[in-house]
Amino acid sequence: MASATQDLDLFVRDALAKGASKEQIAATLGGAGWSTEQVTRALSAFSDVPFVVPVPKPRATMSAREAFFYLLMFAALYMAAFHLCDLVFDLLDGADSAADALAGRSRADIRWSMATLLIAFPVFLWMSRLVGRNVARDPLQRLSPVRRWLTYLTLFLAALALIIDAITLVSRFFGGDLRWVFLLKVLTVAAVAGAIFGHYLRDLRRGEEPAGSASADRFGGLLAAASTLAVLGAVVWGVVVTGSPSEMRQIRIDAHRVKDIDEIVDAVRDHAKEAGSLPTSLDPIAAEPGSRLALRDPETAAPYEYVRVDDTHFRVCARFATDTAHARPEGYPAELTPWNHGAGQHCFTRSWKPKESINEEAASGVESAGP
């Protein structure tokens, strides 16, 4: 195929050099079986400037720098589009009280999608602006092979997403399962994929419209503004659901406190089993060879409080910043009930005897030692 194209280009050049007009060349090639598109492309490679030999027009080339710009721009676009849909899906599942999806799911996926959007989307906007400026300076770059290939690939992926989205909608319609959460997910995919498809289809058809024209700039500016608002809205919604960074920090510190107390409880039980009685303080346990118990609060450095209640029961207390009744914390043991606590000073009563500890822990997990 490449050889045939080269033969055609050579024929056109030789014909123009011998004085044949472009109309005569087009008629001759058409009669020989060449398509109109092939003939037009071959003739457009030469300028109409009069000279002793045919004058070729500048052709779009591909440089490593140009390939880097376009690959980075489209990669950032794919990342932002995927994680915008993924973030909205997770947030809709959390808002669906029937599914209660976030109760047993880590919010790490939501935070990862938010982080990706906050990095990938600005990179895409920045690279788009940079590429747009380059095209405005050199309109021939609009015919760049890497640009056209990646644009058509993006159109294919967006069209495929729209087709799958429509198929899923029709399938669920026939199944009678069109819940509001599902419909909003369908609309999300349709909006994201449709915006991408429409933008790049228009970009391909903009050959006759200058890149810096008012119409092109106005459309691009409106699309960029709408996309930015959508991304910011999804991120703000995610922060409301998962909590602010300061709130998440307090939850993680409280999880660290629970972990420390859990290890202290195990150490006290092991000591009591060997000694036959509960210690009056944590000093004997801390003095044991190889002991690595964390006996102080990770934030305030205040010592955890240990109290021997009677011969079989003891308490370990700490001051917490959050209340487990508001949401399931991350980093806590799988069985949260024995570690439920409110904000402020809270004590956990435990027994060192295995048979008694089961009932005691279930009953004492919500005990508080004051505000």
Side-chain angles (χ1 to χ4, degrees):
M1 187 66 180
S3 177
T5 302
Q6 292 175 357
D7 292 341
L8 178 61
D9 292 340
L10 289 174
F11 174 84
V12 171
R13 187 190 66 181
D14 293 342
L16 289 173
K18 292 182 182 300
S21 67
K22 289 188 175 182
E23 291 76 10
Q24 292 173 329
I25 297 173
T28 301
L29 290 174
W34 291 92
S35 67
T36 303
E37 182 180 355
Q38 289 173 316
V39 174
T40 302
R41 186 184 300 115
L43 290 173
S44 64
F46 296 92
S47 175
D48 292 329
V49 176
F51 197 62
V52 294
V53 295
V55 180
K57 289 182 179 179
R59 294 193 178 186
T61 58
M62 183 179 68
S63 65
R65 178 175 179 270
E66 182 184 8
F68 167 75
F69 283 174
Y70 284 114
L71 286 172
L72 182 58
M73 182 182 73
F74 281 102
L77 171 64
Y78 299 156
M79 293 173 64
F82 174 82
H83 282 282
L84 176 59
C85 292
D86 191 54
L87 174 59
V88 173
F89 284 11
D90 287 340
L91 294 174
L92 288 174
D93 286 338
D96 184 8
S97 57
D100 196 19
L102 287 181
R105 159 204 294 264
S106 171
R107 287 170 170 79
D109 290 343
I110 294 179
R111 291 197 296 270
W112 181 264
S113 293
M114 290 192 299
T116 303
L117 280 175
L118 290 176
I119 300 300
F121 186 70
V123 168
F124 167 70
L125 291 180
W126 176 55
M127 293 306 301
S128 297
R129 186 175 182 83
L130 187 61
V131 166
R133 288 178 176 177
N134 292 337
V135 171
R137 286 195 297 265
D138 182 12
L140 194 62
Q141 289 190 18
R142 188 172 295 280
L143 303 178
S144 164
V146 65
R147 175 191 178 97
R148 295 183 70 84
W149 270 100
L150 289 175
T151 299
Y152 275 110
L153 175 62
T154 302
L155 286 174
F156 167 74
L157 294 176
L160 188 63
L162 289 170
I163 292 172
I164 294 176
D165 196 43
I167 291 174
T168 306
L169 175 63
V170 174
S171 175
R172 295 288 285 268
F173 170 75
F174 286 137
D177 186 18
L178 293 180
R179 301 177 63 247
W180 68 272
V181 170
F182 170 75
L183 292 176
L184 288 177
K185 289 180 179 180
V186 169
L187 290 176
T188 299
V189 173
V192 173
I196 293 173
F197 186 87
H199 171 67
Y200 284 103
L201 182 62
R202 186 178 186 276
D203 186 66
L204 285 175
R205 294 176 174 175
R206 210 190 300 169
E208 68 282 356
E209 184 179 349
S213 67
S215 175
D217 292 343
R218 183 167 57 253
F219 179 82
L222 290 175
L223 185 59
S227 302
T228 301
L229 288 176
V231 169
L232 290 178
V235 170
V236 170
W237 187 9
V239 171
V240 171
V241 170
T242 61
S244 66
S246 61
E247 292 172 340
M248 294 307 302
R249 179 178 179 273
Q250 293 300 328
I251 290 177
R252 296 179 75 86
I253 293 176
D254 278 352
H256 196 302
R257 294 182 177 113
V258 167
K259 178 177 176 293
D260 291 345
I261 293 176
D262 188 29
E263 292 177 352
I264 291 173
V265 168
D266 289 341
V268 170
R269 285 172 173 168
D270 291 341
H271 178 87
K273 290 176 183 178
E274 294 180 4
S277 62
L278 289 170
T280 57
S281 70
L282 296 177
D283 294 339
I285 300 176
E288 293 179 356
S291 175
R292 296 184 178 180
L293 282 181
L295 301 179
R296 291 183 176 273
D297 188 283
E299 184 177 40
T300 65
Y304 293 122
E305 181 181 351
Y306 167 80
V307 178
R308 175 176 171 172
V309 179
D310 53 37
D311 291 341
T312 59
H313 297 86
F314 63 95
R315 285 180 186 161
V316 183
C317 308
R319 182 169 291 278
F320 295 93
T322 60
D323 189 345
T324 56
H326 294 163
R328 182 179 182 84
E330 297 179 36
Y332 279 58
E335 294 296 332
L336 179 62
T337 301
W339 298 109
N340 279 329
H341 61 76
Q345 186 75 4
H346 188 92
C347 294
F348 301 94
T349 301
R350 298 292 185 262
S351 169
W352 72 274
K353 292 185 177 181
K355 290 184 179 179
E356 297 182 13
S357 64
I358 298 177
N359 294 330
E360 290 291 341
E361 291 179 8
S364 63
V366 296
E367 179 179 348
S368 178

